[in-house]
Amino acid sequence: MTVRVRFAPSPTGYLHIGGARTALFNWMFARKHGGKFILRIEDTDQERTVPGAIEAIMDGLRWLGLDWDEGPDIGGPYGPYIQTERADLYRTWANWLVDNHHAYKCYCTPEELTEMRETQMKEKRPLGYDGRCRYLTHEQRAEKEAAGLKPVIRFKMPLDGETIVPDVVRGDITYQNSQIYDAVLLKSDGLPTYHLANVVDDHFMAISHIMRADEWINTAPLHIRLYEAFGWQHPVYAHLSLVMNPSGKGKLSKRSQSFTDDGQEVLVKVSEFQEAGLLPEAVVNFLANVGWSFGDDVEKFTLAEALPRFELTGINPAPSRLNYTKLDWLNGQYVQEMEPMALAKAVKPFLDAAGLEVNPEALLAVMPPMSKRLRRLTEAVDFLRFLFDDVPLELAPEQLVHKQMPYEAALDAFKQTCSLIATIESFDTETLGAALMQLGEQVTTNGKAGPFLGILRLAITGQQVSPPVFESMVALGRERTLARLYEVLTLFANS
């Protein structure tokens, strides 16, 4: 079997992180088996289609590194890949079902259907279409046609017996046919519903495996009966685990944007993950852990490492919570592995967005120590705020003393530091480190440089959290470092 899988989002907005997980598992399965990953846009619900959504979905997939082999932008042998461009195909096969007695035209008006539901509720009967148009005679249908009623086409679901849905993840799932109502396949405007369109598309696009969200399980028996009516072999089904909020309370799929769950910020849109300063490598690693396990207690891995281990039978059907604390940890691990230049390029857009300009050389100087402290790239803004000229030094003299370096000793230490910075020949971390370590051992009462270097870092950056003092100085440069030190001496003089 040639593996062909598809990710088929509706362009009703953004790319949801749950949808991204579905896309990832499909992509992994295709890549493992040397198959094809197809992007198909299911836009038959025109009322909910959002302009620009297709581009947003593709942008999100590209950011995650999930490339597709066939799709609306690149075409392919089974196109077109946007459902509204395939409308004639759906109408042909919907009418084929009618002609071959597997479907029928339904002329019920919205008012009739509303009255039917109200009666069912009043009589406490199960809600659903009661099949009233299923048994219309030829004369009755002709009469409704003459009255100008535009019909929908409904599927003739078997009235008794059962339908078994074989699922790779969940095993066989049995449904009683009597509990499944005759679904609309083709709407009165000539566009298909999801049920018809996805079955026809999956057949004509030669889809071998369907990996989709848990919420679609209950549509599977209808789809299997449709395949049977057409005389087609249905693909292999694998319904993925439900994605829950981090607290386990409620489905994440119902959320349309970031929110707070038990005091924790929860991101929903893929674009929100990008805007939050998370790396795509960390996000796909995180998503691969949602409902599937690499094994051997390994949580950090690349997709290349995961592919040989990925099996549909290894997907856990139980609902999965999103552990955003683990995501931040993963992101921090990937940040630590970045080369200084790559990290500098990655954080620069966030600095630019905050309106902060940093000299490229200064930015590069603080990357190695900063990489060990960042969880998200957005944290670089506060971490590096000391590099900006318009940041005032908001410190009091008492913050710049220590029990091992009281007031007079601290003042003398800053004076000596000014002299050292002004005259030191090489202004690099190694030279500064050696000289300042020696100075620190001389100005503290216990002969240890630690208290002095800690106070010096605070004086230079004005921040409790910042890069180490030597890297901070190099990033500022000699002149700006001296300017900060002169500010400190002014603080002491005015106290």
Side-chain angles (χ1 to χ4, degrees):
M1 177 187 297
T2 299
V3 168
R4 288 179 56 83
V5 297
R6 45 72 165 179
F7 176 56
S10 297
T12 54
Y14 55 89
L15 178 59
H16 190 280
I17 197 63
R21 194 277 301 260
T22 298
L24 173 62
F25 281 10
N26 276 277
W27 184 92
M28 291 174 69
F29 188 71
R31 295 293 174 260
K32 173 177 179 176
H33 294 282
K36 301 294 184 182
F37 175 60
I38 293 98
L39 175 62
R40 186 173 78 217
I41 303 299
E42 299 192 341
D43 65 338
T44 56
D45 189 351
Q46 288 290 285
E47 291 183 359
R48 297 179 60 222
T49 296
V50 175
I54 296 176
E55 291 74 15
I57 289 168
M58 291 194 293
D59 286 345
L61 292 173
R62 289 189 190 102
W63 182 73
L64 292 169
L66 305 182
D67 58 320
W68 50 95
D69 304 292
E70 302 168 26
D73 58 331
I74 58 176
Y78 297 91
Y81 295 88
I82 296 179
Q83 284 188 335
T84 49
E85 298 175 9
R86 301 168 64 86
D88 289 344
L89 181 66
Y90 309 130
R91 284 192 285 269
T92 295
W93 286 98
N95 288 317
W96 185 93
L97 289 171
V98 173
D99 294 341
N100 287 273
H101 313 294
H102 296 297
Y104 59 93
K105 292 181 179 180
C106 171
Y107 300 87
C108 293
T109 64
E111 292 76 19
E112 285 182 272
L113 295 175
T114 298
E115 182 182 352
M116 180 192 71
R117 283 191 291 271
E118 290 175 350
T119 300
Q120 290 171 339
M121 293 174 65
K122 182 178 179 181
E123 296 177 358
K124 297 182 179 180
R125 290 190 282 128
L127 302 181
Y129 184 66
D130 60 10
R132 60 183 62 184
C133 285
R134 182 168 178 157
Y135 306 105
L136 293 178
T137 64
H138 177 74
E139 291 75 20
Q140 288 172 318
R141 288 197 297 272
E143 182 180 337
K144 291 182 180 294
E145 294 277 356
L149 294 176
K150 291 185 177 181
V152 301
I153 291 179
R154 289 184 182 270
F155 183 64
K156 282 185 178 179
M157 190 69 189
L159 299 177
D160 53 20
E162 60 187 26
T163 298
I164 297 175
V165 177
D167 189 283
V168 177
V169 174
R170 301 163 187 276
D172 289 350
I173 308 170
T174 302
Y175 292 86
Q176 299 302 312
N177 294 333
S178 60
Q179 297 179 358
I180 303 171
Y181 298 96
D182 294 353
V184 174
L185 301 180
L186 197 73
K187 295 176 284 188
S188 59
D189 62 3
L191 288 177
T193 61
Y194 166 78
H195 306 297
L196 176 66
N198 96 90
V199 166
V200 169
D201 284 347
D202 286 342
H203 173 72
F204 284 101
M205 292 182 180
I207 299 302
S208 64
H209 295 73
I210 296 175
M211 276 167 275
R212 60 184 184 183
D214 160 276
E215 62 196 53
W216 298 110
I217 287 179
N218 290 336
T219 69
L222 167 61
H223 298 169
I224 281 181
R225 288 297 178 177
L226 270 169
Y227 279 107
E228 183 180 275
F230 284 128
W232 303 336
Q233 176 62 46
H234 66 76
V236 176
Y237 282 98
H239 288 92
L240 308 179
S241 58
L242 188 66
V243 178
M244 305 292 288
N245 296 331
S247 65
K249 302 172 184 175
K251 296 191 298 182
L252 188 69
S253 61
K254 289 187 175 294
R255 302 288 185 167
S256 61
Q257 61 185 18
S258 63
F259 64 101
T260 301
D261 182 50
D262 279 2
Q264 181 181 21
E265 182 192 26
V266 179
L267 307 174
V268 175
K269 305 176 185 178
V270 169
S271 58
E272 290 174 341
F273 287 74
Q274 187 175 5
E275 292 161 3
L278 294 157
L279 297 170
E281 299 90 337
V283 175
V284 294
N285 187 163
F286 169 67
L287 288 177
N289 280 318
V290 180
W292 180 77
S293 173
F294 184 91
D296 301 328
D297 294 324
V298 175
E299 294 183 319
K300 180 182 177 297
F301 49 82
T302 65
L303 289 183
E305 293 168 333
L307 291 185
R309 293 173 174 249
F310 187 73
E311 298 288 350
L312 297 185
T313 53
I315 296 174
N316 190 336
S320 302
R321 301 183 187 186
L322 292 182
N323 186 339
Y324 283 73
T325 301
K326 183 62 60 68
L327 172 59
D328 281 336
W329 174 80
L330 274 172
N331 203 66
Q333 297 297 303
Y334 281 96
V335 168
Q336 286 186 37
E337 295 175 354
M338 296 179 74
E339 294 294 327
M341 181 62 75
L343 182 56
K345 289 180 178 179
V347 301
K348 192 174 186 305
F350 296 96
L351 300 174
D352 292 342
L356 306 174
E357 294 184 10
V358 185
N359 180 289
E361 292 182 3
L363 190 58
L364 198 58
V366 294
M367 290 300 104
M370 191 175 73
S371 69
K372 298 178 176 61
R373 293 165 171 80
L374 288 186
R375 295 177 310 154
R376 300 187 180 188
L377 300 180
T378 48
E379 295 171 350
V381 174
D382 287 336
F383 199 66
L384 300 178
R385 197 170 292 277
F386 74 96
L387 291 175
F388 307 107
D389 289 325
D390 59 349
V391 177
L393 187 64
E394 298 178 347
L395 295 173
E398 54 267 25
Q399 294 177 270
L400 301 175
V401 298
H402 190 275
K403 63 181 181 180
Q404 302 295 340
M405 198 174 70
Y407 186 93
E408 292 299 331
L411 177 57
D412 180 59
F414 283 118
K415 289 179 179 178
Q416 290 190 58
T417 303
C418 281
S419 178
L420 186 153
I421 297 299
T423 58
I424 196 167
E425 185 173 347
S426 298
F427 200 76
D428 56 63
T429 55
E430 185 176 348
T431 306
L432 284 171
L436 290 170
M437 284 287 291
Q438 184 178 8
L439 175 59
E441 292 169 355
Q442 294 171 359
V443 297
T444 56
T445 56
N446 63 356
K448 295 181 179 179
F452 165 69
L453 295 177
I455 288 174
L456 181 59
R457 183 184 61 80
L458 180 60
I460 291 296
T461 67
Q463 300 175 188
Q464 295 293 339
V465 179
S466 68
V469 63
F470 310 140
E471 285 83 354
S472 295
M473 287 180 165
V474 171
L476 280 169
R478 190 191 302 266
E479 291 185 8
R480 294 176 69 195
T481 297
L482 279 172
R484 297 287 173 94
L485 290 170
Y486 292 148
E487 284 186 67
V488 170
L489 293 179
T490 300
L491 284 177
F492 276 90
N494 295 334
S495 64

